[in-house]
Amino acid sequence: MPQLKEDPAQGTATAPVPDFELSRLAPSRPAHPLWQRLADHPLDDPRDARPLSARLSQNTGWRAVHTQRVLTEYRRFLYLAVRLQGRVCPSEAVDEAWHAHLLDSRRYFGVFCPRVLGYRLHHVPSRGGAEEGARHASRYRATLLAYQHVFGEAPPADIWPAPEARFKERTRHLQQPHALGCTQAHRVAERVPHQRGARVGHRAQPAGAAGA
C-alpha cells in the first residue's frame, strides 16, 4: 500500500508514494503512441444511432458538454491505466464512462483493447472490506498524483473530486437501491498482441512492465 512521504519543499506529508515509478512516465501531455491512438480513436461510432456519448448522457442525466469532458478524462484515465499496468483507480464520473463503454463488450474487447490499448483492460469488482477500501483510496490518491505529473495540470475537480469526497460519494451511491455495482474496481492490464479479434480470457494477472 502506498505510504505518505514528506515533501521537503512543503514540509508536509500529503502526497502518497504510488506503487509505480513516476519517473517511467513522461511529464506534460504525452507524445506516446498510446496517447496518439487514444486521441485519434472516436469513442462514438458514426454508424450508431445511439452512440456511447448519448447512452452515457441518458444514463447519468449529464448535459452533452459535460459528457464530452468526462470522455476526455476517460481517455486520460485509460492512458494512465495501461502505462501503470492497472494500478490506478478512476473517479465516479470516469467509472460511469467506463461502464457505458464496457457494455458494448464485443467492440470493447474485440476492437478497442487490441487496436487502441494493446492490452485487455478488465474491470474487476471490489471484493469489499476495510483493507480493500483503504487500498482503493490510496490508489485513487496516487492516480491523481500521476495525472498531474503526466498531463502537467491538476485534474478537474468536478470530475476528479478530492479523495475524501470521492469515497464519501461512493458510500452514498451504495445506499441507493438502483446504484451501479462494480464502481470501485481493480484495473488489471493484460498484454495482448495488436491483432483483430483478441479473445476475452479469464481474469488477468498483472503483466510485465510496459515500455516507457
Side-chain angles (χ1 to χ4, degrees):
M1 180 185 303
Q3 301 294 320
L4 294 180
K5 68 176 179 179
E6 186 163 307
D7 182 347
Q10 300 289 335
T12 58
T14 57
V17 177
D19 54 351
F20 49 76
E21 291 292 333
L22 284 177
S23 60
R24 294 179 59 249
L25 295 175
S28 75
R29 183 175 292 275
H32 193 279
L34 170 62
W35 178 254
Q36 296 302 318
R37 293 195 301 272
L38 282 165
D40 293 342
H41 179 78
L43 291 173
D44 281 346
D45 192 316
R47 298 170 296 180
D48 294 344
R50 188 168 171 260
L52 174 62
S53 63
R55 291 188 282 112
L56 185 56
S57 291
Q58 184 176 18
N59 292 343
T60 60
W62 294 337
R63 294 180 180 274
V65 172
H66 184 74
T67 297
Q68 290 302 322
R69 290 182 60 229
V70 171
L71 289 175
T72 295
E73 297 304 314
Y74 174 53
R75 282 188 171 90
R76 290 185 167 196
F77 164 74
L78 291 170
Y79 178 81
L80 295 175
V82 172
R83 296 300 311 285
L84 298 174
Q85 300 180 300
R87 293 171 297 199
V88 292
C89 181
S91 66
E92 288 282 341
V94 170
D95 202 47
E96 290 279 5
W98 196 8
H99 272 271
H101 198 190
L102 277 163
L103 284 175
D104 193 347
S105 60
R106 185 181 298 274
R107 287 181 183 172
Y108 177 85
F109 284 111
V111 178
F112 182 74
C113 284
R115 294 187 183 179
V116 180
L117 299 185
Y119 279 75
R120 284 197 186 99
L121 191 64
H122 292 272
H123 190 307
V124 182
S126 170
R127 306 309 179 195
E131 183 178 350
E132 179 126 327
R135 185 170 67 85
H136 282 296
S138 186
R139 282 218 170 146
Y140 183 70
R141 292 184 177 91
T143 301
L144 299 183
L145 184 67
Y147 182 110
Q148 187 154 356
H149 174 79
V150 170
F151 297 106
E153 59 187 11
D158 60 329
I159 298 176
W160 294 90
E164 297 75 14
R166 187 254 190 266
F167 289 98
K168 181 179 180 180
E169 183 74 2
R170 166 68 177 163
T171 302
R172 184 180 67 81
H173 278 307
L174 286 175
Q175 294 171 348
Q176 296 177 357
H178 300 295
L180 287 172
C182 307
T183 56
Q184 187 178 357
H186 297 286
R187 273 72 197 174
V188 182
E190 177 191 14
R191 187 69 179 170
V192 295
H194 287 276
Q195 62 182 18
R196 189 173 183 178
R199 296 183 63 188
V200 180
H202 297 290
R203 180 183 175 189
Q205 298 301 317

